[in-house]
Amino acid sequence: MKNTFGNNFAVTISGESHGGGICVIIDGVPSGIAIERSQIEDLLTLRRPAGKISTARQEGDSFTIMSGIFEGYTTGTPICISIPNSDTRSRDYEKTKDLPRPGHADYSGHIKYCGFEDYRGGGHFSGRITAGIVAAGAVAMAVLNKYGIYIGTHVAKCGGVLDRKLNERDLVGDICTLNTMSFPVLDNDSAIAMKDIIASAAKNLDSIGGITETAVVGVPAGVGEPFFDSLEGVISHGLFSVPGIKGVEFGSGFGFANMTGKDANDAFYMDGGVVKTYTNNNGGINGGISNGMPIVFRCAVKPTPSIMREQSTVNMRTKEDAKLTIEGRHDPAIIHRASIVITSVTAIAILDMLETRYGECLECLEGKCKK
């Protein structure tokens, strides 16, 4: 059983939805990085529910930095952050503990942990645990931003409504805007339409999914491995830890199936001594290794499985068919809240791969290393 992601920059998470809280340990952080509480607070705020299109559960996400940051700077030793739970209603799950919720990990988790799992609110499988990922992502982003690497995610599609495309001429500007938005959609009219669709799904006791798009700017060429630790593979490994992510595509992704080589290839050119490509169909990665262009990928986010309609299930105690109507507080869509989690886990993966390439001396990225 493993709850750690990363090799050189490593993140370990623990906790349950209705347990005492969430804990994250972050190892491999370079020393001397300025970290303000507000950097972590701001990202946790973007993950929290807001308005009628989110769950009524309101966790304040107050946190304690237990170690690894002293007088505003990282010490180079493991950072431990504790985030207590404060708004739980465990009674909502007691009468249905033997009835696995369709689309959830209740049944598979019950088999894996031999019936000893914490079933309340999904236990360790809950999206609540992503608070630890976001806290770790805030630390990773502080490191990456220092070296000119920026990451942002928007809701590209929800309920058939499309957001505008990312501005290729000002990706950093779009990224900085997105990382201040609790509903990360760049076109205001699209945001209104998406919220209406989510609200309608909630009114119909249902839920809805969508597609996110993420851009990473500033990763130098040469990061990643050709096969088992390809850059796409490591990023995808992290992405599939985010509850609800069921598909990932880089660049043109499945669109390659309808293209010819002439159209799919990204032709090179020189720009002031820097190698660039005219197009970016490969999403900034060739042969599992970054080519210096923006890394772009999309994620398919499934509808929230907790819906208040009657569904068929089984009774794990009596071994009989059963019916289930889910109660409690749930999101009619998680895509807008998942966006900052996607950004955070991407930051963790990118920093881990950079440390694999350069070690903790990231000054090499700027050619300023004196060691």
Side-chain angles (χ1 to χ4, degrees), residues 158-178:
C158 181
V161 177
L162 300 175
D163 189 19
R164 75 160 171 82
K165 293 184 179 295
L166 292 168
N167 184 354
E168 294 181 1
R169 295 185 178 182
D170 188 20
L171 277 176
V172 173
D174 275 355
I175 286 170
C176 291
T177 298
L178 290 169

Side-chain angles (χ1 to χ4, degrees), residues 184-236:
V185 176
L186 294 163
D187 180 81
N188 188 58
D189 290 339
S190 296
I192 293 171
M194 289 181 191
K195 289 179 180 179
D196 287 344
I197 289 170
I198 295 171
S200 178
K203 185 177 180 180
N204 292 324
L205 306 182
D206 214 338
S207 62
I208 197 163
I211 297 173
T212 63
E213 184 177 44
T214 301
V216 186
V217 178
V219 176
V223 177
E225 303 299 330
F227 288 97
F228 302 116
D229 285 328
S230 70
L231 190 52
E232 301 111 311
V234 173
I235 293 173
S236 297

Side-chain angles (χ1 to χ4, degrees), residues 101-360:
R101 298 166 297 170
H104 280 277
D106 297 347
Y107 172 69
S108 56
H110 180 78
I111 298 301
K112 177 175 176 61
Y113 295 113
C114 305
F116 290 97
E117 74 283 353
D118 184 341
Y119 58 81
R120 301 169 300 171
H124 188 62
F125 298 94
S126 170
R128 173 67 184 145
I129 313 306
T130 62
I133 294 175
V134 172
V139 173
M141 289 172 69
V143 179
L144 295 174
N145 290 172
K146 177 180 178 181
Y147 297 102
I149 299 171
Y150 300 92
I151 307 168
T153 302
H154 73 128
V155 180
K157 182 179 181 180
C158 181
V161 177
L162 300 175
D163 189 19
R164 75 160 171 82
K165 293 184 179 295
L166 292 168
N167 184 354
E168 294 181 1
R169 295 185 178 182
D170 188 20
L171 277 176
V172 173
D174 275 355
I175 286 170
C176 291
T177 298
L178 290 169
N179 286 336
T180 65
M181 305 173 74
S182 60
F183 195 85
V185 176
L186 294 163
D187 180 81
N188 188 58
D189 290 339
S190 296
I192 293 171
M194 289 181 191
K195 289 179 180 179
D196 287 344
I197 289 170
I198 295 171
S200 178
K203 185 177 180 180
N204 292 324
L205 306 182
D206 214 338
S207 62
I208 197 163
I211 297 173
T212 63
E213 184 177 44
T214 301
V216 186
V217 178
V219 176
V223 177
E225 303 299 330
F227 288 97
F228 302 116
D229 285 328
S230 70
L231 190 52
E232 301 111 311
V234 173
I235 293 173
S236 297
H237 182 179
L239 291 172
F240 282 117
S241 71
V242 181
I245 300 296
K246 300 302 286 187
V248 177
E249 66 172 7
F250 287 81
S252 294
F254 282 93
F256 279 122
N258 299 315
M259 299 170 73
T260 65
K262 175 178 67 68
D263 296 325
N265 290 341
D266 300 312
F268 294 104
Y269 72 98
M270 296 301 303
D271 182 12
V274 178
V275 176
K276 294 186 178 180
T277 60
Y278 287 107
T279 55
N280 195 22
N281 291 318
N282 288 276
I285 302 173
N286 293 127
I289 302 169
S290 60
N291 63 19
M293 295 296 288
I295 297 168
V296 181
F297 61 85
R298 283 166 294 281
C299 297
V301 183
K302 75 176 186 178
T304 316
S306 292
I307 57 175
M308 293 187 179
R309 295 188 176 193
E310 185 179 82
Q311 300 177 83
S312 295
T313 185
V314 295
N315 187 308
M316 293 186 293
R317 179 175 54 83
T318 66
K319 308 299 183 184
E320 298 175 327
D321 290 339
K323 296 292 184 180
L324 170 68
T325 300
I326 295 175
E327 300 178 357
R329 302 165 295 173
H330 307 285
D331 295 271
I334 61 170
I335 188 167
H336 54 294
R337 296 180 62 196
S339 293
I340 194 60
V341 186
I342 290 169
T343 294
S344 297
V345 80
T346 302
I348 294 167
I350 293 290
L351 183 51
D352 184 37
M353 294 302 282
L354 286 170
E355 290 193 6
T356 299
R357 175 84 164 92
Y358 298 105
E360 287 188 20

